[in-house]
Amino acid sequence: MSVIPWPYRLLALTALGIALVGFGWIKGANHVQARWDAAIQQQALQTAAIRERQAQATVKVVTQYVDRVRVVREKGETIIKEVPVYVPVQADAACTINRGFVRLHDAAAAGELPDPARDADAASAGIALSVVAGTVAANYQTCHENAEQLRALQEWVGEMTGGTK
């Protein structure tokens, strides 16, 4: 007969089975952990690449925006300087700007409805036509600057979402 009794053999086989299952479990866990770590590393690299691309796009868009706004300001300032050429002193003397026009212009600039017109609105406001022309030119310059800002913002959003212009 055998030297090792059956209960001890059974116990040894059970211990061997448990050891093999434990070894497989640990080996499998290490394999899954390694795959997990590799996936995390890959995502970190992708995130860094995306952030770099977004930073470059931001610099590009801001640079273009600053250049375009500079051009708009230069043009606006040139137009404002030309007001005396296009609206001479004779035109200032010949044209009176009434208070109603001033109230309507100011209300439109504020984006509000003006108060109802009154008899006093017909009186002269004492503002020269050349001043009105300069104010309107400055308002349009601001409008064009805002338009460039909006275009730059739209371009930036397109770049951030991976789209194109």
Side-chain angles (χ1 to χ4, degrees), residues 80 83-84 86-89 91-92 95 97 127-136:
I80 291 169
V83 166
Y86 289 93
V87 184
V89 175
D92 278 343
C95 181
I97 306 300
I127 298 174
L129 182 61
S130 58
V131 173
V132 172
T135 300
V136 170

Side-chain angles (χ1 to χ4, degrees), residues 40-58 159-160 162:
I40 295 297
Q41 174 101 13
Q42 181 65 24
Q43 287 178 352
L45 292 173
Q46 288 173 344
T47 301
I50 289 169
R51 287 186 181 176
E52 177 66 25
R53 189 185 82 235
Q54 288 177 340
Q56 290 172 351
T58 298
E159 293 281 343
M160 293 302 110

Side-chain angles (χ1 to χ4, degrees), residues 70-131:
R70 183 181 44 77
V71 169
V72 166
R73 283 190 183 141
E74 288 172 359
K75 286 180 182 178
E77 290 169 3
T78 301
I79 291 169
I80 291 169
K81 287 178 187 173
E82 293 294 317
V83 166
V85 173
Y86 289 93
V87 184
V89 175
Q90 299 84 359
D92 278 343
C95 181
T96 58
I97 306 300
N98 66 16
R99 289 184 181 151
F101 176 85
V102 173
R103 286 176 7 118
L104 181 65
H105 179 271
D106 292 346
E112 300 174 357
L113 293 174
D115 293 332
R118 299 185 201 112
D119 290 338
D121 289 340
S124 173
I127 298 174
L129 182 61
S130 58
V131 173

Side-chain angles (χ1 to χ4, degrees), residues 4-16:
I4 302 175
W6 272 106
Y8 293 116
R9 280 189 209 175
L10 190 57
L11 185 61
L13 287 174
T14 303
L16 180 62

Side-chain angles (χ1 to χ4, degrees), residues 53 60 151 154-165:
R53 189 185 82 235
K60 179 184 116 187
R151 283 186 201 100
Q154 289 171 331
E155 185 177 337
W156 181 81
V157 167
E159 293 281 343
M160 293 302 110
T161 58
T164 57
K165 287 199 242 183

